Amino acid sequence: MHMLMSIKNVRKHFGKLEVLKDVNMDIHKGDVVVILGPSGSGKTTFLRCLNFLEQADSGAMDFADMHLDLSHASQKEIATVRKKTAFVFQGYNLFANKTALENVMLGLTTGRGIPKAEAEKTAREALQRVGMLDRADYYPSQLSGGQQQRVGIARAIAVKPDVILFDEPTSALDPELVGEVLKVMRDLAKDGTTMIVVTHEMKFARDVATHVIFMADGVIVEEGSSEDIFQHPKEERTKKFLHRILTHDYEEA
């Protein structure tokens, strides 16, 4: 399989607290990598470092024919990485004064200089893929949380990124709205979209992930296929975490 992204020796401190301690990860084209772990394990910080929303203290990344120093990347390198990746946030991050369609178009016209007519066509196609085309002219305040997050995913896929980074995309949603967002993500996975997903949705991780990573206290404790991690975890910390989460897992089977 084609190696898309190779990440080495990522470290990050916030003050005295070391949040990431030498994290390494390889992402292949078409992978759905799911990162699990307790709150405060460094999952979100790691994801944000890949897109330079946070700056790592040290570490390297090979991506898009570039070798990047994560702590000293140039503005040009950062811009290239952001052009080839898309980020789906926990809290949607939509512009309240723009319609669903305008929110999706913005990354194309402003972010990538695509002419308006072409951007609108691409944005409508992206909204269609997430089942939101009929709400193209609605403002975020007129949409449910699940619908807003689907617009967020449409915005991500519209730019045709090499990889989409999802930061707990369902954690801000009411339980009954989680399914519609996970369905869109499952469909993207089926279409071969490369994704790195930080989530607590165990059923999604079990069913969809090609690779599961369990993080705690800033390190990767264990990684493997979803079967390895869910059926045959080796590390005591992984076993304890899964037991605790799966015992409370009220998600529909």
Side-chain angles (χ1 to χ4, degrees), residues 119-140:
E120 181 171 340
K121 181 172 178 287
T122 303
R124 286 188 183 279
E125 285 165 4
L127 287 169
Q128 174 87 48
R129 275 184 80 183
V130 300
M132 287 296 293
L133 188 55
D134 60 338
R135 298 277 195 282
D137 298 327
Y138 285 52
Y139 288 90

Side-chain angles (χ1 to χ4, degrees), residues 44-231:
T44 290
T45 302
F46 176 72
L47 207 61
R48 291 174 68 87
C49 284
L50 300 186
N51 207 27
F52 296 98
L53 293 168
E54 297 281 358
Q55 190 172 30
D57 296 329
S58 60
M61 176 164 77
D62 289 307
F63 176 53
D65 299 327
M66 296 185 296
H67 180 73
L68 300 155
D69 177 341
L70 290 177
S71 60
H72 289 92
S74 68
Q75 286 305 316
K76 188 171 173 227
E77 288 171 331
I78 291 171
T80 304
V81 169
R82 288 187 178 157
K83 270 205 169 117
K84 292 180 173 294
T85 58
F87 205 97
V88 176
F89 297 88
Q90 199 169 329
Y92 329 133
N93 279 31
L94 301 179
F95 291 101
N97 62 338
K98 300 203 176 299
T99 63
L101 181 64
E102 289 167 342
N103 264 288
V104 178
M105 283 175 66
L106 207 59
L108 298 166
T109 52
T110 310
R112 286 168 169 72
I114 290 169
K116 203 170 167 191
E118 188 188 330
E120 181 171 340
K121 181 172 178 287
T122 303
R124 286 188 183 279
E125 285 165 4
L127 287 169
Q128 174 87 48
R129 275 184 80 183
V130 300
M132 287 296 293
L133 188 55
D134 60 338
R135 298 277 195 282
D137 298 327
Y138 285 52
Y139 288 90
S141 61
Q142 299 169 299
L143 301 172
S144 72
Q147 290 171 328
Q148 289 185 63
Q149 191 57 293
R150 285 193 278 154
V151 174
I153 295 173
R155 179 178 55 188
I157 59 179
V159 297
K160 300 182 172 59
D162 292 350
V163 56
I164 304 180
L165 311 172
F166 290 86
D167 181 20
E168 302 202 19
T170 58
S171 65
L173 299 176
D174 294 333
E176 71 273 15
L177 301 176
V178 168
E180 66 188 70
V181 173
L182 291 180
K183 181 188 181 304
V184 168
M185 292 171 67
R186 284 170 194 270
D187 290 346
L188 290 177
K190 277 197 197 102
D191 292 344
T193 307
T194 308
M195 306 194 268
I196 307 175
V197 185
V198 169
T199 186
H200 291 292
E201 299 295 339
M202 294 295 145
K203 192 170 185 313
F204 176 84
R206 235 180 348 220
D207 297 350
V208 183
T210 55
H211 195 73
V212 177
I213 289 170
F214 173 64
M215 276 182 81
D217 296 325
V219 297
I220 292 177
V221 176
E222 187 168 357
E223 60 181 306
S225 68
S226 75
E227 189 181 343
D228 292 337
I229 300 299
F230 284 100
Q231 309 297 330

